[in-house]
């Protein structure tokens, strides 16, 4: 496990070198958050308690989403682009010869990336939103701890989804098309555009049981105290369930990809 801790630390340090990009990202997240916040204010003035949120909770949701945007890679990217490129060039063969588990190696690196983005691009926009708008942030530190756990599980689910998509490059050679489709689905079904609780009828029910709801909707609801007690355990169980299914599917697809490499190499 020490090896994977070193890989995670390396993933964190790697992103610390992009200081100008980080500063630009903080500015962009903050400006976009202000735009979305005023859009939500107008919407909630017309539809109070839309999705079961009051206006303060809706604004809180906006700034949590800005904090989570890069943390869970809602626009894709992260390790996936590099992983696909290594498959395309054949450098993935080097990874397969490492005395380390391929999936855990990239998961560790992605956890380091996620931690950096949460600290570097998440905290500042959320703090700005709390200063400028009336947010429904909790005072109980245990609620914040519960939120951080939900964020961690959301990052793992996000990684598992992107890992599956990246593995498709073994057969497609260029995973750009699949990546774009999954990114669009992730933006919509994670609740990035609008809370999933505001989705009507069957669409809302389907959206809330898809894995993308683990990325943003559940962490946001945990921070706003909408999941407590057994409900909180149920939310964690939902996230862990999807993480287990998706990571397991990733292992199966990884095994098939390795066999393909061995056959071609032979």
């Amino acid at each position: 496990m020490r090896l994977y801790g070193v890989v995670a630390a390396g993933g964190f340090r790697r992103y610390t070198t992009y200081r100008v990009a980080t500063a630009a990202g903080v500015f962009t997240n903050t400006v976009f958050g202000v735009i979305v916040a005023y859009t939500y204010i107008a919407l909630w003035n017309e539809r109070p308690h839309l999705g079961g949120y009051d206006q303060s909770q809706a604004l809180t949701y906006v700034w949590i989403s800005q904090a989570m945007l890069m943390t869970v890679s809602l626009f894709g990217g992260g390790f996936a682009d590099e992983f696909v490129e290594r498959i395309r060039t054949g450098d993935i063969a080097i990874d397969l010869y490492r005395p380390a588990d391929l999936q855990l190696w990239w998961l560790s690196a992605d956890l380091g990336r996620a931690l950096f983005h949460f600290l570097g691009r998440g905290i500042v926009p959320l703090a700005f939103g709390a200063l400028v708008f009336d947010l429904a942030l909790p005072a109980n530190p245990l609620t914040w701890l519960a939120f951080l756990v939900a964020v961690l599980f959301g990052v793992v689910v996000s990684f598992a989804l992107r890992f599956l998509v990246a593995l498709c490059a073994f057969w497609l050679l260029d995973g750009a098309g699949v990546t774009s489709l999954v990114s669009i689905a992730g933006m919509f079904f994670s609740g990035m555009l609008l809370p999933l609780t505001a989705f009507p009828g069957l669409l809302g029910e389907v959206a809330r049981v898809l894995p993308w709801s683990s990325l943003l909707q559940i962490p946001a609801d945990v921070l706003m105290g909408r999941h407590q007690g057994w409900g909180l355990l149920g939310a964690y169980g939902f996230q862990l369930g999807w993480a287990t299914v998706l990571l397991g599917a990733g292992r199966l697809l990884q095994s098939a990809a390795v066999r393909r490499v061995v056959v071609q190499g032979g």
Side-chain angles (χ1 to χ4, degrees), residues 68-207:
M68 296 286 291
L69 182 64
M70 292 298 294
T71 303
V72 296
S73 290
L74 280 173
F75 291 147
F79 82 95
D81 293 340
E82 180 182 354
F83 190 68
V84 169
E85 181 63 17
R86 293 183 70 81
I87 294 173
R88 189 186 68 80
T89 60
D91 289 341
I92 192 67
I94 299 173
D95 299 338
L96 296 175
Y97 278 110
R98 287 188 184 128
D101 182 86
L102 181 68
Q103 189 182 60
L104 284 177
W105 177 282
W106 289 100
L107 172 59
S108 300
D110 199 56
L111 288 174
R113 175 209 58 80
L115 177 59
F116 172 79
H117 282 308
F118 183 77
L119 298 175
R121 290 186 59 171
I123 292 178
V124 173
L126 183 58
F128 176 87
L131 289 173
V132 177
F133 298 92
D134 179 24
L135 304 189
L137 295 175
N140 188 344
L142 292 179
T143 304
W144 284 97
L145 179 60
F147 166 68
L148 293 178
V149 174
V151 170
L152 173 61
F153 293 161
V155 170
V156 175
V157 173
S158 172
F159 165 81
L161 282 166
R162 287 176 288 128
F163 186 72
L164 272 172
V165 172
L167 284 171
C168 293
F170 275 104
W171 290 270
L172 301 177
L173 295 181
D174 183 3
V178 178
T179 299
S180 297
L181 288 175
V182 173
S183 296
I184 293 171
M187 287 179 58
F188 187 77
F189 289 114
S190 67
M192 179 66 194
L193 302 178
L194 195 68
L196 299 182
T197 54
F199 284 21
L202 181 61
L203 176 62
E205 294 178 10
V206 171

